[in-house]
Amino acid sequence: MVEHGRKMINLNADVAIIGGGPAGLAAAISAHENGAKNVIVLDRNSWLGGILPQCIHDGFGVEETGTSMTGPEYAEMYIKAARKKGINFMNETMVLQFDKNRKIIAVNKKGLHEIKAKSIVLAMGCREKTRWNIMIPGDRPSGIYTAGVAQAFINLYNIMVGKNVVILGSGDVGLIMARRLKFEGANVLGVVEILPYASGLPRNVVQCLDDYDIPLYLNHTVTYVKGKERLESVTIAQVDEKMNIIPGTEREIKCDTLLLSLGLIPENELSKNVKIELDDLTGGPIINQSFETSLSGVFACGNCLQVYDTVDTLSMDAKVAGENAAKKSVKQNKFINVKAGKGIRYVVPQRINEPGKIHFTLRVEKPCESPTLHVISDGIELLKKKLPWANPANTVEFDIDISAEVVKYKDLEVILDD
Amino acid sequence: MKNFHVAIIGGGVIGSAIAWELSKYKVNTVVFEMGSDVASGMTKANSGVIHSGINSATDSLKARFCVEGNKMLQSLSKQLGFPLKMVGKYVIAKNEEETKELERLIKIGEDNEVPGLEIKDGSEVKRKEPNVPCYKALWVPTAGIMQPYEFTIALAENAAINNVNFLLETKVKNIQKKGDNFLIKTNKGEFQSQIIVNAAGLNCGEIVSMLEEPDFNVYPCRGEYLVLDKNYSNLINSMIYPVPPKELGVLGVHITPTIEGNILLGPSAEFIDDAEEKRTTKEMMKTLFNEAKEIIPTLPEKAVINAYSGIRCKLASPKEGGWADYRIEESKQTPGLINLLGIESPGLTGAPAIAKEITRMISKSIELKTKTDFKTRKIIKKRFAEMTAKEQSDLIKKDERYGRIVCRCEHITEAEIIQALSNPIGAQTLSSVKYRCRAGMGRCQGGFCTQHIVRIMEEQFKIDVNKMKLKSPDSNLFDGRTR
């Protein structure tokens, strides 16, 4: 969009939430409970709940409520609660941009909207990596889907994506789709994973692959895709510890469908547009203990902040983000950094500017048995915690009381000794 | 059986340009395209370069049509509404010896009447192209870029609204000469035509052999490309070419900006046996990147986001040096058969001039009377995403479907998807939508919009899910309903 005309529909909000998936819903409810009267949720889709309506398997809500729900049930719980509070939902509404003064430009079939928000919560979710994120050579036939797209076709539209299926990547969506396709009568020929371990939750490996005799090829990857029109075969090969293909291990598998479960990328085009600082390691905005980004009054939660393991922890964090968005924002000018040191892939929050009890989430670099977690500030150990095990598929969470002294001067470093 | 004056075989840029040129006259024309859309063969997969004419020997058809076509393209772009940018190109020399090659190119260029050629010092190039170190470079101001499929779609759709028949997924199986007419058998029935224009690209030999013994061979030569993310569009401003390699009659791995802001690295040149082998290979991806890095030493590896390949139609084998001129001629043995053989680079640039030439050839046997009701329609109007807020608001008021964004990466609206699917040649694959309105071309590669486009195809265009295709007749997307 080039310029702003006068034909905008003008709205005001205490808290405007971009994205009506689980994070946006939880943040909206919490913002309302914490005093924000006028909460608007903007969502592109014609439905609420984001990706949840297509996640028809169960296991949602166990940590949070003690009850196992399906994705649609879990979403319904939040949608009902939000509707009760009179939260204003704008569906089929796409946010085109927002600026440093928290003025949002959005479009829907009624026209262009200009929404002035006291605070904004980013809850845009994430997208899936594609074939081209890992540059698989070969032909460009039909029959190659990301796991989430295949899940949408099967579960929302009752459309089958194929008959003979290979799945590349053992993330949770890939594992769940292996079982789902089996239920629908497809031949699932195997799940191929380049790492020496599955990247999805261990319970999903058991419940989705082992229980259905679907082979898991660890230390393998897809090296070639063949098919002039529809996919005809993929070639898989074994890799060494440096992930180089071991010559002679190539094997062609005839199939008509390749599902890609290669990981998720937080969606932050809107954040980039307004120059919110992003963390290369999480792909999401850098936040402080209040979930506030580098842009004052703009908060981030859900999978656009970091890719969560379960919707339960995602919602719990999103509620904190919503609560803070309803309150006044903290002045950002002085802060200390939280650094991901040895053995740690990332830590959230990345910044602290107020003392108090702070909740941290981190992901480790690689699986290990009984490692020790250290949090250090200027040579002083603030936390030493022995973990029974650690796995990149599962985030590690812990709380620390951060004193005013620490916040004044010293960066924190988090390391893992195995 | 349907009778036509002219049957064009092949809906690539050449066939489509001829169809459009003929659509200005009262002549009954049909285009047979075996793919599911126009521009689905060689046309789709090349560098998208508007060549100046410095690379082809003076007096060759390649030089003549390239220079003529180059002059026509700018006004065609305005008339038909496909974008182009005359970004110019540098051919860079790394040392004194390569500089001699630049002088040779200048000589050819000047003989071909290419204007504005200049040799620049490395320091001067560096000011314009800070990422391109070189000793000297030849500056070619009349070279430019466009999207080959946009140009071809514009030609074909304009031909179609002027009553040219486009028969997609129609493969010519057999041709016989019956008296003054040709009897053409296809998978979609039989047709008659007075003239056949063989614009079948890589299949030009197959078409000739239906009527006579071909006196030529086609040598398919694959070119692979890498595509860089739009975030790296600042790496270059113009096209950057090395001095052409001595063998194979190709221009070497060059670096080309695109209209959309991506950068292309390539193409490679590899003679292959099967013209259908449009694949990319891990080895060549590496080679392309390394060769491009010799031109831009700071090229980051993570910038690569996609790869594709295309096949050149060469009439000379590698042993013969790989270079041969086009053959554009009526068959002596089979009058009425007009062949376009070996149309490779700079065929995209030459297409409008070649179309004029073919029309002249046809006018020798069929009287071509100008139509009085010839219509022109700009194919790409301004995209919603590029409009001012006022323009956007006005449009949504007129048609609320402009207020529904379907492709979130490129901000393409439901109205634009519907327009793309309502095209006058009846192309309705997922790629047809992508090439007409860019839905699915962005970061998520269709992850979010595919399901919505499928829903629009099903609900508004009543296309059966089992008949939905990615890009070609057998590239089915789905396998029925869930049980």
Side-chain angles (χ1 to χ4, degrees):
Chain A
M1 198 172 50
V2 186
E3 66 189 46
H4 299 179
R6 284 188 190 144
K7 296 199 169 183
M8 297 277 186
I9 299 165
N10 290 297
L11 296 171
N12 290 299
D14 293 327
V15 178
I17 292 168
I18 305 177
L25 290 169
I29 291 167
S30 163
H32 192 272
E33 281 171 350
N34 286 283
K37 289 196 182 67
N38 181 7
V39 179
I40 300 182
V41 178
L42 303 147
D43 194 275
R44 282 186 324 269
N45 289 322
S46 57
W47 65 85
L48 290 168
I51 207 76
L52 287 171
Q54 72 183 55
C55 302
I56 61 171
H57 51 282
D58 69 353
F60 296 91
V62 179
E63 286 169 71
E64 202 182 343
T65 67
T67 319
S68 177
M69 288 176 261
T70 64
E73 284 167 348
Y74 183 91
E76 200 50 40
M77 175 177 81
Y78 273 92
I79 294 165
K80 269 191 187 146
R83 292 218 193 274
K84 234 185 211 166
K85 295 192 184 301
I87 286 161
N88 182 4
F89 289 107
M90 291 173 68
N91 274 103
E92 292 196 297
T93 304
M94 170 97 183
V95 173
L96 300 175
Q97 61 176 79
F98 65 85
D99 67 11
K100 290 201 175 342
N101 303 316
R102 296 180 301 281
K103 191 174 78 187
I104 297 171
I105 308 290
V107 62
N108 65 23
K109 61 186 180 184
K110 290 190 186 129
L112 287 182
H113 295 65
E114 187 181 288
I115 302 157
K116 287 198 180 110
K118 286 184 191 149
S119 359
I120 292 176
V121 179
L122 306 176
M124 287 91 70
C126 56
R127 64 173 186 269
E128 297 180 277
K129 287 187 180 170
T130 70
R131 168 180 181 183
W132 302 109
N133 287 94
I134 58 164
M135 295 298 287
I136 307 172
D139 297 325
R140 302 176 61 121
S142 65
I144 304 174
Y145 290 97
T146 57
V149 170
Q151 189 181 45
F153 278 119
I154 294 173
N155 292 346
L156 299 179
Y157 303 95
N158 299 322
I159 295 172
M160 263 311 260
V161 291
K163 266 198 191 83
N164 299 302
V165 188
V166 171
I167 298 175
L168 175 60
S170 61
D172 288 311
V173 199
L175 300 176
I176 282 158
M177 283 311 292
R179 177 176 65 182
R180 185 75 187 96
L181 282 156
K182 196 90 176 178
F183 284 165
E184 288 298 336
N187 303 316
V188 182
L189 302 163
V191 175
V192 181
E193 170 59 58
I194 194 163
L195 297 171
Y197 50 88
S199 50
L201 294 171
R203 73 162 189 233
N204 281 334
V205 176
V206 176
Q207 291 170 11
C208 300
L209 303 187
D210 299 352
D211 289 357
Y212 298 90
D213 295 327
I214 296 169
L216 173 61
Y217 299 103
L218 296 174
N219 297 308
H220 275 74
T221 191
V222 171
T223 57
Y224 195 76
V225 160
K226 191 173 149 193
K228 276 171 191 144
E229 302 202 58
R230 177 82 193 195
L231 182 66
E232 291 160 23
S233 73
V234 299
T235 302
I236 71 168
Q238 207 179 326
V239 297
D240 61 20
E241 62 280 1
K242 285 178 182 156
M243 293 201 194
N244 294 315
I245 290 153
I246 302 172
T249 60
E250 292 89 352
R251 183 148 61 93
E252 193 178 344
I253 304 178
K254 300 256 178 251
C255 59
D256 56 35
T257 307
L258 174 65
L259 290 201
L260 303 172
S261 175
L262 301 170
L264 302 168
I265 304 172
E267 276 274 288
N268 278 292
E269 305 313 308
L270 292 169
S271 326
K272 282 181 199 159
N273 189 43
V274 65
K275 299 197 165 55
I276 285 174
E277 286 178 62
L278 299 182
D279 181 343
D280 278 346
L281 301 168
T282 57
I286 292 173
I287 56 159
N288 65 18
Q289 71 288 341
S290 315
F291 289 81
E292 191 173 19
T293 68
S294 62
L295 184 56
S296 181
V298 178
F299 299 78
C301 63
N303 279 348
C304 77
L305 170 65
Q306 58 167 324
V307 177
Y308 282 85
D309 300 347
T310 66
V311 75
D312 303 59
T313 46
L314 175 148
S315 298
M316 291 188 262
D317 278 359
K319 283 177 189 164
V320 182
E323 179 186 339
N324 286 308
K327 295 174 183 169
K328 255 188 140 180
S329 81
V330 188
K331 276 266 179 266
Q332 287 254 1
N333 38 14
K334 268 193 181 165
F335 57 81
I336 58 165
N337 293 304
V338 184
K339 291 179 186 159
K342 191 186 81 163
I344 308 291
R345 189 178 292 168
Y346 71 72
V347 191
V348 176
Q350 298 89 340
R351 285 177 185 170
I352 299 170
N353 61 0
E354 269 201 339
K357 190 176 170 193
I358 293 173
H359 183 72
F360 292 89
T361 306
L362 65 79
R363 226 174 258 284
V364 300
E365 287 278 2
K366 56 178 201 296
C368 45
E369 294 288 331
S370 56
T372 310
L373 186 71
H374 305 270
V375 180
I376 299 158
S377 168
D378 197 29
I380 302 161
E381 197 162 60
L382 301 182
L383 178 89
K384 180 179 176 182
K385 193 179 175 185
K386 192 104 183 142
L387 305 173
W389 50 270
N391 187 321
N394 302 75
T395 53
V396 177
E397 295 180 49
F398 58 94
D399 293 323
I400 312 180
D401 264 314
I402 303 285
S403 70
E405 278 306 295
V406 170
V407 174
K408 247 184 225 158
Y409 309 109
K410 310 290 191 251
D411 286 354
L412 295 188
E413 192 179 14
V414 185
I415 56 173
L416 191 74
D417 270 332
D418 58 357
Chain B
M1 194 187 319
K2 280 198 173 159
N3 286 295
F4 295 96
H5 292 118
V6 182
I8 299 168
I9 302 174
V13 67
I14 301 294
S16 299
I18 297 166
W20 183 66
E21 196 58 40
L22 287 174
S23 74
K24 298 170 183 170
Y25 304 96
K26 291 179 186 165
V27 56
N28 201 359
T29 307
V30 64
V31 178
F32 299 117
E33 168 54 50
M34 65 177 185
S36 299
D37 200 349
V38 293
S40 49
M42 278 195 285
T43 299
K44 186 166 69 181
N46 56 65
S47 313
V49 171
I50 300 169
H51 284 285
S52 61
I54 59 162
N55 293 103
S56 307
T58 309
D59 300 330
S60 66
L61 291 178
K62 280 184 174 173
R64 178 190 144 193
F65 290 124
C66 180
V67 172
E68 280 179 29
N70 182 295
K71 285 182 196 151
M72 296 162 76
L73 278 168
Q74 293 203 51
S75 66
L76 274 177
S77 146
K78 289 192 190 90
Q79 190 183 354
L80 301 180
F82 62 92
L84 56 74
K85 279 188 197 158
M86 301 311 282
V87 292
K89 83 168 176 181
Y90 288 103
V91 184
I92 60 163
K94 294 274 182 198
N95 49 44
E96 192 56 46
E97 199 187 318
E98 288 193 344
T99 307
K100 282 180 201 147
E101 194 61 18
L102 300 185
E103 277 151 16
R104 190 183 69 85
L105 290 173
I106 274 209
K107 172 81 176 61
I108 302 172
E110 283 170 353
D111 287 349
N112 292 347
E113 295 178 15
V114 177
L117 300 176
E118 240 180 292
I119 290 189
K120 310 247 187 200
D121 276 335
S123 58
E124 210 177 329
V125 176
K126 191 137 193 141
R127 276 200 294 279
K128 300 269 183 195
E129 298 288 354
N131 297 309
V132 183
C134 65
Y135 175 66
K136 280 190 172 146
L138 169 60
W139 169 240
V140 188
T142 56
I145 52 171
M146 63 176 162
Q147 290 291 11
Y149 52 84
E150 282 179 350
F151 176 40
T152 307
I153 288 167
L155 290 164
E157 294 191 5
N158 267 282
I161 60 169
N162 288 296
N163 298 328
V164 170
N165 297 273
F166 277 82
L167 300 181
L168 302 176
E169 302 189 1
T170 305
K171 188 166 170 55
V172 172
K173 301 213 149 165
N174 192 323
I175 311 172
Q176 286 168 311
K177 184 110 199 209
K178 284 252 168 91
D180 285 343
N181 275 323
F182 291 97
L183 177 64
I184 304 159
K185 288 185 182 164
T186 77
N187 57 331
K188 298 273 172 85
E190 295 185 4
F191 304 87
Q192 271 195 37
S193 180
Q194 215 172 312
I195 286 178
I196 284 183
V197 177
N198 174 8
L202 284 158
N203 299 103
C204 61
E206 196 186 318
I207 298 297
V208 170
S209 63
M210 292 177 187
L211 290 157
E212 61 189 49
E213 187 66 31
D215 60 352
F216 62 94
N217 278 315
V218 169
Y219 302 93
C221 178
R222 181 168 61 217
E224 294 187 31
Y225 289 88
L226 294 176
V227 185
L228 304 192
D229 191 281
K230 285 182 190 173
N231 291 340
Y232 298 90
S233 62
N234 291 335
L235 277 175
I236 48 166
N237 301 301
S238 311
M239 292 175 269
I240 315 290
Y241 280 64
V243 295
K246 295 249 160 33
E247 319 82 41
L248 303 184
V250 292
L251 300 182
V253 171
H254 48 87
I255 304 181
T256 315
T258 69
I259 293 280
E260 313 290 6
N262 300 96
I263 288 175
L264 304 179
L265 313 180
S268 55
E270 204 181 342
F271 282 85
I272 51 172
D273 297 329
D274 181 357
E276 296 280 300
E277 284 200 347
K278 276 195 281 187
R279 61 185 186 194
T280 52
T281 59
K282 193 155 196 158
E283 300 72 42
M284 199 51 90
M285 285 180 184
K286 261 192 206 135
T287 308
L288 287 178
F289 188 82
N290 291 339
E291 287 195 25
K293 220 171 153 74
E294 300 219 332
I295 299 175
I296 301 182
T298 55
L299 194 67
E301 199 147 359
K302 64 174 182 186
V304 178
I305 55 154
N306 209 323
Y308 67 90
S309 76
I311 316 284
R312 304 174 184 85
C313 174
K314 287 188 168 290
L315 296 182
S317 68
K319 269 187 202 156
E320 297 161 305
W323 195 94
D325 201 5
Y326 301 150
R327 287 178 56 186
I328 298 176
E329 61 208 16
E330 184 167 354
S331 162
K332 288 192 182 73
Q333 213 178 313
T334 316
L337 170 66
I338 296 175
N339 286 316
L340 293 111
L341 312 175
I343 313 296
E344 52 159 338
S345 176
L348 183 68
T349 313
I354 291 172
K356 291 249 182 235
E357 174 70 10
I358 298 295
T359 305
R360 267 192 296 275
M361 288 165 72
I362 291 170
S363 71
K364 284 178 194 157
S365 45
I366 296 177
E367 193 189 355
L368 295 179
K369 284 190 196 150
T370 312
K371 272 181 195 164
T372 50
D373 58 348
F374 178 71
K375 300 182 278 285
T376 302
R377 197 180 80 183
K378 284 198 179 187
I379 285 310
I380 295 155
K381 297 170 208 97
K382 212 171 184 178
R383 296 187 198 284
F384 184 82
E386 293 157 355
M387 290 177 185
T388 65
K390 187 180 178 308
E391 289 171 318
Q392 291 179 333
S393 296
D394 288 348
L395 260 185
I396 297 169
K397 227 165 242 169
K398 262 189 260 167
D399 182 349
E400 65 175 32
R401 295 175 300 183
Y402 278 103
R404 246 181 248 137
I405 306 279
V406 173
C407 165
R408 63 195 236 185
C409 300
E410 302 287 320
H411 291 183
I412 310 299
T413 65
E414 187 180 48
E416 289 167 294
I417 307 273
I418 289 169
Q419 274 168 25
L421 282 164
S422 313
N423 65 74
I425 62 170
Q428 291 187 323
T429 67
L430 210 52
S431 293
S432 309
V433 174
K434 178 167 96 172
Y435 289 127
R436 280 168 180 77
C437 71
R438 297 182 49 182
M441 260 187 206
R443 299 177 300 279
C444 81
Q445 293 282 305
F448 290 104
C449 62
T450 304
Q451 54 179 293
H452 298 292
I453 297 172
V454 164
R455 188 177 44 78
I456 293 168
M457 284 177 168
E458 193 175 16
E459 287 171 8
Q460 306 198 32
F461 290 84
K462 308 292 172 212
I463 304 173
D464 183 337
V465 292
N466 283 323
K467 294 197 171 137
M468 290 183 191
K469 293 159 194 174
L470 176 64
K471 56 175 183 178
S472 57
D474 289 320
S475 65
N476 293 9
L477 286 172
F478 306 118
D479 186 35
R481 293 282 172 184
T482 50
R483 59 187 185 187

